[in-house]
Amino acid sequence: VAESCNFAVTDWIPWGWLSDQTYRSFGKSHVFSHPSLLFSLADDDDSVQTAMWLLPEMMRYTELESKAIKDLREMGCTDIRPMNLATQGVLSKPIVGDSNTSV
């Protein structure tokens, strides 16, 4: 018998980061994208309370992405483009300033 859980309480959000990093360290693919979950939550609820508990987690991913971009530039990559999350089906609307221009 298999069972799944399709909800999580807000206290689980920081554990998602740990799970994401553990999967990365083993090179395993994820069951779902934790960053996409965070962005979807922020997209669905623009309250200050939601922003307060999502911000630390979103900052972790922002720092991780910034480091990855820096590393790519140091390896000689010059055409680095942000993903438009709205066109990828992650968000219902584009983030202000989201574009497909080079970073």
Side-chain angles (χ1 to χ4, degrees):
V1 173
E3 223 174 290
S4 67
C5 174
N6 295 320
F7 73 94
V9 295
T10 57
D11 293 348
W12 181 85
I13 295 294
W15 291 101
W17 167 263
L18 181 60
S19 172
D20 187 39
Q21 297 311 301
T22 302
Y23 271 78
R24 285 176 192 254
S25 71
F26 289 114
K28 293 181 73 176
S29 59
H30 304 281
V31 175
F32 69 91
S33 168
H34 185 62
S36 294
L37 172 66
L38 298 175
F39 280 100
S40 294
L41 290 170
D43 188 43
D44 289 343
D45 182 355
D46 60 0
S47 70
V48 172
Q49 181 181 5
T50 298
M52 299 273 296
W53 58 262
L54 287 179
L55 182 62
E57 300 309 309
M58 294 176 93
M59 291 301 298
R60 286 180 179 183
Y61 284 103
T62 300
E63 291 167 7
L64 186 66
E65 184 173 349
S66 295
K67 182 185 179 317
I69 289 171
K70 180 180 175 255
D71 291 347
L72 287 169
R73 284 195 174 129
E74 288 175 359
M75 290 188 285
C77 294
T78 57
D79 189 18
I80 303 167
R81 299 174 189 206
M83 181 171 58
N84 184 320
L85 297 173
T87 60
Q88 298 296 317
V90 175
L91 299 178
S92 62
K93 57 188 176 288
I95 297 171
V96 175
D98 189 11
S99 67
N100 285 324
T101 58
S102 294
V103 175

